[in-house]
Amino acid sequence: MRFEEQSAIVRELFPAEYAEFVVAVTELGGTTVLMAVLAVLFWSGWRRRSALVISYAVAGLALLLSIKALFGLPRPPEDVLLLPLEEEREGYGFPSGHAFAATVVYGGLVAASDRTRDVRALAAAGTLVALVSLSRVVLGVHYLGDVIVGAVLGVAFLAAMARLAGDDPRRGFAIAFGLALVTVVVAGATEDSLLGLGGAIGGLCSAGWIDRLPDLRTRLETGALVAVGSGGAAAIQVAEATVSFVPALVALYAALVAWVFLAPIAVGRLGIGATGTFRA
């Protein structure tokens, strides 16, 4: 049951003049924004915990794509769209990937920081998930049932990953790699499935260096690392947009995740003063 009638009520309650605001809110559950948040946290010194959540996000992407392909349920009809968002019409509609991803990332950050009993942290994460989920219904790209199931699956997935991966990002990426291989078979070699596969490979190859990275000494160093890291990630994404060869796409996605983890080493060796001395 996808709650089609209840979804129509939600859409009718929201004023159309705030459509652009809804689009901005929905981006908080998109892959680009979520990975940017996790990358900045990593470059700011919150390394092992954010790396763990990145492994959750990559594994979760692979799992959700398989679930979507297995159910094969369509999105709501085009005439209910709040805005003509062609890119939002792609793929299947059940369950909601944005609701799932927001739950995994924002909830994962709460869990990774051992704040699951902190009411304020839980409320903040819950509010973000609720806003992202409602934005999907208001935009007309999901039904209410899609986002509810997506969020519930996200909570269950977090619990499973916490048990299976513990606090080791490498385990998380190993799980992600296995799920990604299944997804490529089930859902095909789509852009998202290749992102999951490449991300898992990149994480497996680079996560072992996390505890050996140089320490950040000043806020200036942190800012420089965030700036250089963001520039490198943007360059990889620009290159990705020009490539259609499947192995090259997987390699670029792997490089993107590896760059997040290894940027402190690269910046240190460039001698621009962003980090301290690398510990061999």
Side-chain angles (χ1 to χ4, degrees):
M1 188 175 186
R2 301 177 74 183
F3 300 118
E4 290 91 341
E5 294 181 3
Q6 293 84 348
S7 302
I9 294 173
V10 172
R11 292 194 298 270
E12 291 168 3
L13 287 174
F14 196 87
E17 56 265 29
Y18 294 107
E20 295 299 330
F21 172 75
V22 181
V23 173
V25 170
T26 209
E27 290 300 325
L28 295 175
T31 302
T32 300
V33 170
L34 292 175
M35 289 302 293
V37 168
L38 293 172
V40 169
L41 285 173
F42 185 87
W43 293 327
S44 299
W46 213 55
R47 288 173 176 164
R48 175 165 281 272
R49 292 172 180 177
S50 55
L52 185 64
V53 180
I54 291 173
S55 76
Y56 289 179
V58 175
L61 171 65
L63 175 65
L64 193 77
L65 289 173
S66 291
I67 293 174
K68 279 176 171 281
L70 289 172
F71 277 99
L73 296 178
R75 293 184 183 275
E78 190 172 353
D79 58 7
V80 305
L81 283 176
L82 184 64
L83 291 172
L85 302 171
E86 289 300 324
E87 66 276 10
E88 295 286 3
R89 300 297 304 162
E90 299 177 359
Y92 298 113
F94 179 88
S96 167
H98 278 63
F100 177 87
T103 303
V104 169
V105 172
Y106 298 127
L109 289 172
V110 172
S113 58
D114 297 323
R115 299 181 66 184
T116 54
R117 296 185 180 181
D118 186 331
V119 175
R120 289 177 297 180
L122 289 172
T127 298
L128 285 170
V129 171
L131 288 173
V132 169
S133 298
L134 285 175
S135 74
R136 305 303 286 169
V137 179
V138 172
L139 285 174
V141 295
H142 283 295
Y143 293 116
L144 194 58
D146 301 343
V147 298
I148 292 173
V149 172
V152 171
L153 278 175
V155 173
F157 178 77
L158 274 179
M161 288 297 290
R163 179 176 293 274
L164 295 173
D167 63 351
D168 188 348
R170 289 172 296 182
R171 289 187 189 176
F173 283 113
I175 295 169
F177 180 70
L179 290 172
L181 289 177
V182 173
T183 298
V184 171
V185 173
V186 173
T190 66
E191 181 178 349
D192 285 338
S193 65
L194 295 177
L195 173 59
L197 180 59
I201 294 171
L204 278 173
C205 293
S206 59
W209 291 89
I210 291 172
D211 293 330
R212 302 171 62 189
L213 294 176
D215 295 323
L216 296 169
R217 298 172 298 185
T218 67
R219 292 181 180 179
L220 180 60
E221 291 175 347
T222 299
L225 177 55
V226 170
V228 174
S230 299
I236 294 172
Q237 288 180 312
V238 169
E240 174 268 322
T242 66
V243 173
S244 58
F245 184 51
V246 169
L249 276 173
V250 173
L252 282 171
Y253 290 138
L256 183 60
V257 173
W259 169 251
V260 172
F261 294 154
L262 302 181
I265 299 174
V267 171
R269 289 180 175 174
L270 285 174
I272 64 174
T275 57
T277 303
F278 175 66
R279 297 194 302 269

